[in-house]
Amino acid sequence: MDFSITLVNLAGSVALLLWGVHMVQSGVQRALGARLRGLLGIALRNRFQAFLAGMGVTAVLQSSTATGLMVTGFAAGGLVDMVPALAVMLGANVGTTLIVQLLSFNVAEVAPAFILIGVLMFRRTSAAPRDFGRVLIGLGLLLMALRQFVGLLDPFEDAPSLRLLLGAVATQPVLDVILAAGLTWAAHSSVAIVLLAMSFAAKGVVPPHAAFALVLGANLGTAINPVLEGGAGDDPAAHRLPMGNLINRLIGVAAGLALLPVLGPWLVTVDPDNARVVADFHTGFNLVLALVFFPLLGPYAALLRHFMPGRVAAADPGQPLYLDQAAIEVPMVALGAAAREALRMADALESMLQGFRDALQRPDRRQLAELRRLDDVLDTLNAAIKSYMTALPLNR
C-alpha cells in the first residue's frame, strides 16, 4: 500500500479512537452527570471518601478533566477544603487507568456487537437508552479503531525509515515524555495516548521502555489542560487545585524517568505481554503516586495556600462568580455552574424585593438608588447566564 495512503488511514484511525473516547465520555455525562456530581459533592468530607469517589466517578466518566472541573468549582467556591479536593484528583488519576486495563485484553471482537446494540438503543425516543447507546457506540468505535491501527502497522513494521525514526525517539525518554504530553494536551485524552503507546508496544514498533516514557508523558499532559483552562477569574486560589495536581504529576514523572532504567527491564521479565505491561505500568505509576502523596496532603495543601493566597478584593455583585468558561466543554459541569449563578441572581432579586417593600413604607433616596443598582446587577447576571447557556455544546 502506498505510504501516503497508509499515513492518512493511520491518522483516520487515531481520529476514530479520539471520537470513540469522546462519545463514551459525553454519553456517560448525559446519562449520569448530575448523579455523579451529587455523589462527588457528598463524598468531599474526608480524604478517604474523596479518593474513592474521585476514582469511581472518573472510572465511569473516563475523563479526569471532567472530574477535575467539578471539584475545582467546589474548591474555588470555598465549598470544600483543599485536602479532600487533592484526594479526589489522586483518585481521578487512578480511575483513568481502569479502562486502559480493560482494553489491554483482546476484546476487539465484541466491537460490532457493541455498535449494533448501541445503535438500537440510540434509536429509542427516551433519553436514557439514547445516552447509553451513545456509550456503547463509542466503545465499539474505540475498539475498531485500535484494531485497525494495529493492522495498518503490520506492513511497515520492518520499514527501515520508520525503524530509524522510532529508534531515534526510543533512545530519548525525555523526548518521549514531551511528545506524549503535547499529544495528550492537544487530544484532551490521556486514555487515547496510552492506548496508542500500548498498540506501538504490542507490535514491537517501539521498545517497552520507550512506551513507558510515552505513558509518563500522557500522565503529565492530562494535568496541563486543567491548569490552562480551569479556574475562573484571576484569583490565585481558584488555581490551587489544578496547579497542585500538575506539581505532583511533575514530581512523579521526574521520579519515573530516573527509575526507568531499573524498572523497565524488571517489568518486562514479570509480564512478557508488551501491551499488558504498558497498562500495568500506567496503573502502577498512578497507584504509587497516590500512596506517596496521600499522607502528605495536609502539608501539601498548606504549601499551596501559602504560595497561592486568596485575593481579597471588593466583590462586584454584577460580576458572575461561577460561570467558568473552561467548563463549557463539559455540559454537566457548566449546567451546575449556571444553576449556582442563577441561585445567586435569585438572592439579589429577593434583596431587591425586600428593599422595594421597605421603600414603599418609608421612602428613602439612598434606598431607591440601591434598588436601581440591584436592578442593574440582575440585568447583568441575566445576560451573562443566557450568553453562557447558549455557548453550551448540548447537541454534541
Side-chain angles (χ1 to χ4, degrees):
M1 185 182 293
D2 184 73
F3 180 74
S4 59
I5 297 177
T6 303
L7 193 61
V8 172
N9 289 337
L10 285 171
S13 298
V14 174
L16 186 61
L17 173 65
L18 293 174
W19 185 250
V21 172
H22 168 75
M23 288 195 69
V24 173
Q25 293 173 357
S26 61
V28 173
Q29 288 170 10
R30 294 182 182 192
L32 303 173
R35 297 176 188 174
L36 293 176
R37 182 182 173 88
L39 171 65
L40 189 59
I42 293 172
L44 289 173
R45 296 173 181 172
N46 62 66
R47 68 180 73 185
F48 298 100
Q49 291 181 357
F51 176 84
L52 294 176
M55 184 171 64
V57 169
T58 307
V60 175
L61 287 178
Q62 282 312 305
S63 174
S64 59
T65 301
T67 306
L69 284 171
M70 281 190 266
V71 74
T72 296
F74 292 142
L79 302 177
V80 61
D81 188 63
M82 276 297 296
V83 172
L86 289 168
V88 167
M89 294 310 301
L90 291 177
N93 293 325
V94 175
T96 57
T97 69
L98 300 182
I99 187 65
V100 174
Q101 283 288 341
L102 175 64
L103 296 178
S104 65
F105 297 97
N106 187 17
V107 291
E109 298 300 326
V110 299
F114 278 164
I115 295 177
L116 175 61
I117 298 172
V119 168
L120 293 176
M121 295 180 68
F122 192 78
R123 292 175 64 87
R124 301 288 296 275
T125 55
S126 55
R130 286 174 61 87
D131 294 333
F132 284 109
R134 176 185 291 268
V135 173
L136 291 177
I137 294 172
L139 283 173
L141 294 178
L142 191 154
L143 293 172
M144 291 183 66
L146 283 175
R147 181 166 61 180
Q148 182 179 2
F149 184 84
V150 172
L152 288 170
L153 289 177
D154 282 337
F156 296 91
E157 194 173 342
D158 297 318
S161 57
L162 182 61
R163 285 288 179 183
L164 184 63
L165 174 62
L166 294 176
V169 173
T171 58
Q172 300 293 331
V174 176
L175 180 60
D176 292 335
V177 170
I178 295 173
L179 176 63
L183 291 174
T184 304
W185 167 77
H188 283 62
S189 174
S190 61
V191 172
I193 304 305
V194 172
L195 290 176
L196 290 178
M198 284 171 47
S199 301
F200 278 128
K203 298 304 296 180
V205 176
V206 297
H209 71 270
F212 297 154
L214 291 172
V215 168
L216 291 175
N219 279 278
L220 178 60
T222 194
I224 295 175
N225 284 315
V227 173
L228 298 179
E229 302 173 4
D234 56 357
D235 188 353
H239 300 273
R240 286 176 189 157
L241 184 61
M243 278 302 299
N245 184 50
L246 177 61
I247 291 170
N248 73 40
R249 298 279 99 186
L250 282 169
I251 294 173
V253 168
L257 278 175
L259 296 174
L260 204 55
V262 178
L263 288 176
W266 176 75
L267 287 172
V268 174
T269 60
V270 171
D271 192 344
D273 187 337
N274 286 346
R276 290 283 312 130
V277 77
V278 171
D280 291 341
F281 177 79
H282 180 44
T283 302
F285 170 79
N286 285 282
L287 283 174
V288 170
L289 204 59
L291 290 173
V292 170
F293 269 90
F294 200 79
L296 305 174
L297 289 181
Y300 186 46
L303 280 175
L304 289 172
R305 283 191 291 265
H306 175 73
F307 288 105
M308 305 181 72
R311 177 169 297 172
V312 179
D316 179 8
Q319 184 68 29
L321 296 180
Y322 307 110
L323 303 183
D324 188 353
Q325 294 301 316
I328 286 180
E329 292 300 319
V330 186
M332 68 168 181
V333 180
L335 287 172
R340 294 175 68 189
E341 200 66 58
L343 290 174
R344 182 167 167 260
M345 180 179 168
D347 291 338
L349 177 60
E350 182 182 11
S351 298
M352 189 180 76
L353 292 176
Q354 290 175 351
F356 182 71
R357 182 191 60 188
D358 295 338
L360 288 177
Q361 297 173 353
R362 294 182 299 274
D364 185 345
R365 289 187 177 183
R366 292 182 180 178
Q367 193 171 31
L368 291 175
E370 177 65 17
L371 290 176
R372 284 194 294 269
R373 187 186 66 84
L374 284 175
D375 182 61
D376 292 338
V377 167
L378 289 173
D379 291 340
T380 303
L381 290 178
N382 181 48
I385 293 172
K386 288 195 293 187
S387 175
Y388 187 77
M389 292 293 291
T390 55
L392 293 183
L394 297 178
N395 61 332
R396 290 172 62 182

